[in-house]
Amino acid sequence: MVRLLRSCAKSIPGICLLIALLLPGCGEKKEETGSREMVALLEEVAQTFYIPDNRFANHARVAHFDSLAAKATGRRKFDFEYQKATELLRAGESAEAARLFEKLRAELPQIAYSLTPKDVGLADRLEADIAQAYLRTGEQENCLLNHTSASCIFPIASPGFHQLPDGSRKAIAQYTSLLSRHPDALQYRWLLNIAYMTLGEYPDRVPKQWLIPIEDQSPYPVAPFEEIAGDLGVDVADISGGTVLEDFDNDGYLDILASSYGLRDQIRYFHNQGDGSFADHTAKAGLTGITNSLNMLQADYNNDGYMDVLVLRGAWFEHQGKQPNSLLRNNGDGTFSDVTEAVGLLSFYPTQTATWADFNNDGWVDLFIGNETADQFTPNPCQLYLNHRGSFYNVAQEAGVALKQYVKGVTSGDFDNDGWQDLYVSTLYGQNYLFRNLGHGKNGQLRFDDVTEKAGLQKPMLSFPTWFYDYDNDGWLDIFVSGFKFSTEPGVSYNVAAEYLGLPNEAEKARLYRNNHDGTFTDIAEEAGINKALYTMGCNFLDIDNDGWLDMYLGTGDPSFESIIPNKLFRNNAGKGYQDVTTAAGVGHLQKGHAVAAGDLDNDGDQDIYTVMGGAYEGDSYRNALFKNTYQERTASGNKWIILKLEGIKANKAAIGARLKLTVTENGRQRVLYRDVNSGGSFGASALRAEIGLGQASRIDELVIIWPGSTHTQVFKDIAANQFVQITEGQAQVKKIAAARLDFQKKKGGHGVHQAHLPATP
């Protein structure tokens, strides 16, 4: 079986899946051996795809171009060495890359005879590469090796200043030289300002003509967040990846799962010990060898009361993306087992996005996976797996959702309030799609209708993460989707700098589609203040100050090493628009921001943020961040909260898709809040328990729960604020959960989690 599964990564996925499912050996034995088989398969995937043709296998590419350069002369040697230097930078060998770039610049006169019109600007490109290599060297020497909680938080302030200034100082010299010749090159101007900032010399030492003014005040005072991942030992130092915040052992405390994109990068499981500390339970949980994921999301697929995890793989790899996803079953004893093949989910399509929902209303969560089709000749259709009591079968074609696009984000929700979960699909190239769930048609077949144009959502855009949520608390789900456009000349930094300077730019802007209650949507991003150059990758929504309005934290960047731009936090101003509170909150991380998850990790009543940092290339690693929300401890008489854990009986056990309506009295006036039970955005998975801010209301006058599937409605009265409660479908009692508030404890030495990346394969 293992040999057959290994071959699937190299052959036709559909045939392999069929053969695998038809082979004998199904049932319990398959589940017991599933983890071992998946570990073996993932190692085979790593060996198969860690090759120079893989743009993310940077050490392998260094060796490849080095061997080509050794056999070449003249201009060909120069070009191969240039490619080698580029790969050295991407592989994390920044100082060596800088030396080679410098050598090549010195050799430019020797190849003057070979220069063509295509080489116009070659000297400038080399100088920009040199500057970038030095700037990255400074980041590695200071932010990674001599890390503090203030490192790379924008605008950089002490103690985030570089103690080893050589890298930034040399970068400043190069950017100054470039700007003297190209004063309108905003990308160099932006990076020059950042370099001065790392040395504590912004704004005073920045030449006046190149200074970019940066507001250090936000329009609304918010409680600052504290970056404490290193103190707790959960600062995994890796590249881009996924994360899940969830209570995996039902002890009342949220645990952390974190993954990384490298083919052999280990998924990490940090158990919340309930005493203010986390322990690495990766090996104890049976996850050793479960590697390589850009995104993960949780659900209780088998309704046993324990959260399971879907691990997604192959995104961006395109033709090398024939990698298996994994379904990790939570065994309820602190361990996980890979049951992917046993439950019928084994396939080999590139993806990083999926959504769990009970699409056919039978009480079992189903699964939609958005796959990436890079070219029409090798389509990778999206999959819709219906869950039949813990086993899955794909009905995407029959249901009308076997989309063949470069899908980067999917989200599910009942946008028309008809009791059926709908789908919104974000694609990188072309239009996005809204599929309305029509329910059961002829012969009981589930069907979806493409209502994109009817809904007014057909306008083309380059987009990435997305979600359904009720932005304005009117009981109808709205849609957020963020623009994403790869950096081409002049790039991400140019567009972000232009925005800070109030100049036009070519970035793809975010969209906020308000639900018009009639099946149509209106884009209100401009009036809401978020039609900005955000370059969002991972993101999620949360309520940072418990005022009952959903805010958002956005992880930003793109693969380019020049995309050093701050992650963003936007506060929802009572449904009237968003306020940029990034600097006031202290969460403007400059490193690449990927999966974002929100949850009350210390059980103090406010939501914290865990985000996976790092880029796509092997050397673009950084430490994950945990931003502790200090709102509750700084505002003793501040806004109130409630945390609800729902348990379905006829509905799916985790109550995914449940609709909540909370009526409260705040300052003498009645107010209504609406929430759905889900894990939030399409890149990063927040806790499935409902963590809801109540504003100044000290009690919930009425809580209405519409349970998913059956649309069974329950009403509860007079629930006190500031507590954890569990509600089981069909039971009239609201059960209080004893979940102690935690004081986070610092780990000895701090900043203790490091991981080596995949070395060059012989």
Side-chain angles (χ1 to χ4, degrees), residues 282-513:
T282 305
K284 182 187 274 189
L287 295 175
T288 302
I290 302 297
T291 57
N292 167 24
S293 173
L294 193 56
N295 197 14
M296 304 179 291
L297 60 161
Q298 80 279 29
D300 185 357
Y301 85 92
N302 56 357
N303 285 343
D304 68 349
Y306 290 93
M307 293 296 180
D308 314 295
V309 181
L310 178 72
V311 180
L312 299 165
R313 299 188 179 93
W316 302 112
F317 278 91
E318 297 182 353
H319 294 300
Q320 286 127 8
K322 295 179 180 179
Q323 302 174 23
N325 298 326
S326 290
L327 180 61
L328 303 176
R329 184 189 63 199
N330 187 336
N331 298 319
D333 60 0
T335 69
F336 294 83
S337 296
D338 190 294
V339 295
T340 315
E341 183 197 358
V343 301
L345 287 179
L346 185 65
S347 67
F348 294 85
Y349 292 135
T351 182
Q352 71 162 79
T353 187
T355 182
W356 294 99
D358 185 0
F359 292 110
N360 61 354
N361 285 346
D362 68 348
W364 296 77
V365 284
D366 310 304
L367 177 64
F368 179 86
I369 301 177
N371 294 314
E372 298 176 0
T373 292
D375 68 77
Q376 59 182 339
F377 300 107
T378 55
N380 299 313
C382 294
Q383 298 154 299
L384 174 59
Y385 286 102
L386 294 186
N387 183 346
H388 180 65
R389 307 187 68 81
S391 295
F392 294 85
Y393 56 101
N394 185 15
V395 298
Q397 190 67 43
E398 301 92 317
V401 292
L403 200 62
K404 301 180 182 71
Q405 299 289 340
Y406 209 109
V407 177
K408 292 309 300 176
V410 297
T411 183
S412 53
D414 183 4
F415 80 88
D416 54 358
N417 289 341
D418 68 348
W420 296 88
Q421 294 287 305
D422 310 300
L423 281 166
Y424 181 77
V425 181
S426 166
T427 74
L428 192 60
Y429 308 109
Q431 73 165 57
N432 294 339
Y433 297 84
L434 179 65
F435 291 103
R436 180 171 178 261
N437 190 338
L438 302 178
H440 297 298
K442 291 181 180 180
N443 302 319
Q445 175 62 53
L446 190 67
R447 288 290 302 171
F448 287 78
D449 184 22
D450 182 349
V451 295
T452 310
E453 190 168 349
K454 291 179 188 174
L457 301 173
Q458 73 276 15
K459 187 175 180 180
M461 72 178 296
L462 304 172
S463 64
F464 197 163
T466 185
W467 60 63
F468 278 115
Y469 73 147
D470 193 346
Y471 154 74
D472 50 4
N473 266 327
D474 66 352
W476 295 78
L477 291 177
D478 311 298
I479 300 171
F480 172 80
V481 57
S482 193
F484 188 82
K485 189 176 183 180
F486 278 110
S487 59
T488 54
E489 291 297 333
V492 170
S493 296
Y494 181 97
N495 289 322
V496 172
E499 194 156 86
Y500 271 90
L501 292 166
L503 300 174
N505 63 81
E506 298 178 356
E508 184 76 70
K509 306 300 195 297
R511 313 279 173 87
L512 176 57
Y513 294 112

Side-chain angles (χ1 to χ4, degrees), residues 5 25 108 153 222 229 353 485 492 534 543 557 567 578 596 612 618 642 649 681 685 692 710 729 736 759:
L5 293 179
L108 275 176
I153 302 297
V222 298
T353 187
K485 189 176 183 180
V492 170
L534 298 175
D543 184 353
N567 296 343
Y578 279 99
V596 173
V612 175
E618 283 182 334
I642 191 80
I649 300 299
I692 306 171
S710 65
E729 183 181 9
K736 185 173 181 178

Side-chain angles (χ1 to χ4, degrees), residues 463-660:
S463 64
F464 197 163
T466 185
W467 60 63
F468 278 115
Y469 73 147
D470 193 346
Y471 154 74
D472 50 4
N473 266 327
D474 66 352
W476 295 78
L477 291 177
D478 311 298
I479 300 171
F480 172 80
V481 57
S482 193
F484 188 82
K485 189 176 183 180
F486 278 110
S487 59
T488 54
E489 291 297 333
V492 170
S493 296
Y494 181 97
N495 289 322
V496 172
E499 194 156 86
Y500 271 90
L501 292 166
L503 300 174
N505 63 81
E506 298 178 356
E508 184 76 70
K509 306 300 195 297
R511 313 279 173 87
L512 176 57
Y513 294 112
R514 183 178 58 205
N515 193 324
N516 297 325
H517 309 179
D518 60 0
T520 68
F521 292 80
T522 300
D523 182 10
I524 61 166
E526 185 169 0
E527 63 188 80
I530 56 168
N531 61 327
K532 298 179 181 296
L534 298 175
Y535 289 96
T536 313
M537 295 185 290
C539 56
N540 226 314
F541 57 84
L542 69 159
D543 184 353
I544 61 170
D545 51 8
N546 285 337
D547 66 351
W549 299 93
L550 292 173
D551 316 303
M552 62 173 79
Y553 184 68
L554 312 179
T556 63
D558 84 346
S560 167
F561 275 79
E562 286 191 354
S563 63
I564 303 174
I565 59 176
N567 296 343
K568 288 287 186 177
L569 178 64
F570 289 99
R571 178 182 178 270
N572 187 336
N573 182 24
K576 294 176 287 192
Y578 279 99
Q579 301 163 328
D580 186 340
V581 295
T582 306
T583 55
V587 294
H589 214 302
L590 282 169
Q591 294 294 322
K592 312 291 195 313
H594 282 83
V596 173
D600 187 359
L601 285 160
D602 53 356
N603 283 359
D604 67 348
D606 51 30
Q607 291 184 286
D608 311 298
I609 300 170
Y610 188 81
T611 178
V612 175
M613 310 303 300
Y617 298 119
E618 283 182 334
D620 201 2
S621 61
Y622 201 77
R623 299 166 183 263
N624 293 353
L626 196 171
F627 291 108
K628 171 181 160 48
N629 192 341
T630 68
Y631 175 79
Q632 288 300 136
E633 64 189 65
R634 290 174 182 265
T635 52
S637 60
N639 291 326
K640 309 304 188 289
W641 52 272
I642 191 80
I643 294 181
L644 304 172
K645 181 178 180 181
L646 302 188
E647 181 181 39
I649 300 299
K650 291 182 178 179
N652 69 87
K653 193 80 166 179
I656 293 172
R659 309 294 298 271
L660 309 177

